[in-house]
């Protein structure tokens, strides 16, 4: 299960902190391509945040190409191309 300390967000909105945390894990390779993410409800319960917070973070991750949704199956990490220097696109 993905675990992030939501108290470290400072004044940043919860969904934005969650989005940035997951995106950073994807760029760092901690969440490899094709890895299935937890369901929105399970992640919301685990982190102690609202379902809307997780939905908003996932929507931003989809919009930026970090994850994809597979109907009736869940959310999966996309394969991000690498650029010079080993930095992943979107970094």
């Amino acid at each position: 299960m993905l675990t992030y300390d939501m108290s470290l967000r400072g004044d940043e909105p919860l969904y934005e902190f969650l989005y940035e945390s997951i995106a950073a894990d994807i760029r760092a390779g901690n969440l490899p391509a094709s890895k299935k993410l937890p369901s929105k409800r399970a992640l919301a319960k685990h982190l102690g945040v609202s379902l809307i917070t997780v939905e908003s973070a996932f929507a931003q991750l989809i919009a930026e190409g970090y994850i994809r949704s597979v109907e009736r199956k869940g959310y999966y990490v996309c394969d991000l191309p690498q650029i010079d220097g080993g930095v992943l696109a979107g970094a």
Side-chain angles (χ1 to χ4, degrees):
M1 181 64 72
L2 301 176
T3 301
Y4 303 106
D5 186 352
M6 302 305 276
S7 68
L8 298 176
R9 70 182 175 92
D11 293 333
E12 190 173 28
L14 283 170
Y15 83 91
E16 195 170 311
F17 179 80
L18 181 58
Y19 150 75
E20 288 176 359
S21 298
I22 295 171
D25 274 348
I26 293 170
R27 287 191 304 268
N30 297 331
L31 294 172
S34 301
K35 169 99 172 138
K36 187 177 190 298
L37 297 179
S39 73
K40 295 181 291 188
R41 283 184 175 80
L43 185 57
K45 183 177 181 181
H46 176 71
L47 295 176
V49 298
S50 74
L51 180 59
I52 292 172
T53 295
V54 176
E55 287 175 339
S56 297
F58 278 20
Q60 188 65 33
L61 289 163
I62 290 169
E64 294 190 13
Y66 286 104
I67 66 173
R68 61 187 168 85
S69 174
V70 177
E71 191 172 337
R72 297 184 168 259
K73 294 202 183 248
Y75 295 88
Y76 295 84
V77 176
C78 291
D79 187 16
L80 298 179
Q82 292 211 356
I83 57 175
D84 290 338
V87 178
L88 295 175

